[in-house]
Amino acid sequence: VASEPTATTKIALVGKGVTFDTGGLNLKPGNSMLYMKKDMGGAAHVLGLFMALVETNPPNTQLDCWIPAVENVVDGNAFRPGDVLTAVNGLTTEIGNTDAEGRLILGDA
């Protein structure tokens, strides 16, 4: 059985994708929410770059793309200040402010 050649170049792309951000229970002022759809710009940029790299198919390259995506809104299941969340790696984080979701999803990615 032939093995695949080992990638000599490794590229990891990570982009934050907060599709809309009200601040959660630590609610943002209304006029601040107007532009919060732009909080997914990192994810959009990374996805475009990923697609361009896939098209060019660079030789001997391992390409990984991570786009954690979330919407931070108020509802019955929203995180509350003081909640403790467990990340995929088992580490826990206490929520001090519900408007810090970007750090949480990037840490989990």
Side-chain angles (χ1 to χ4, degrees):
V1 175
S3 62
E4 294 184 25
T6 304
T8 55
T9 303
K10 295 181 180 183
I11 300 172
L13 304 171
V14 182
K16 179 178 75 166
V18 181
T19 59
F20 194 80
D21 183 11
T22 68
L25 293 177
N26 292 112
L27 200 60
K28 294 180 185 294
N31 60 352
S32 296
M33 283 187 234
L34 182 59
Y35 301 105
M36 285 297 104
K37 60 187 172 202
K38 294 181 180 180
D39 210 5
M40 59 104 193
H45 180 83
V46 162
L47 183 57
L49 179 57
F50 176 76
M51 292 172 63
L53 287 169
V54 168
E55 288 248 341
T56 62
N57 193 22
N60 299 319
T61 300
Q62 176 183 324
L63 181 60
D64 293 319
C65 183
W66 298 89
I67 300 176
V70 68
E71 182 175 70
N72 189 13
V73 298
V74 178
D75 76 2
N77 295 317
F79 298 146
R80 293 167 174 82
D83 282 355
V84 176
L85 306 179
T86 303
V88 294
N89 65 0
L91 293 176
T92 56
T93 302
E94 182 176 0
I95 304 299
N97 185 311
T98 61
D99 198 19
E101 75 293 329
R103 286 169 256 178
L104 288 171
I105 66 171
L106 284 171
D108 233 7

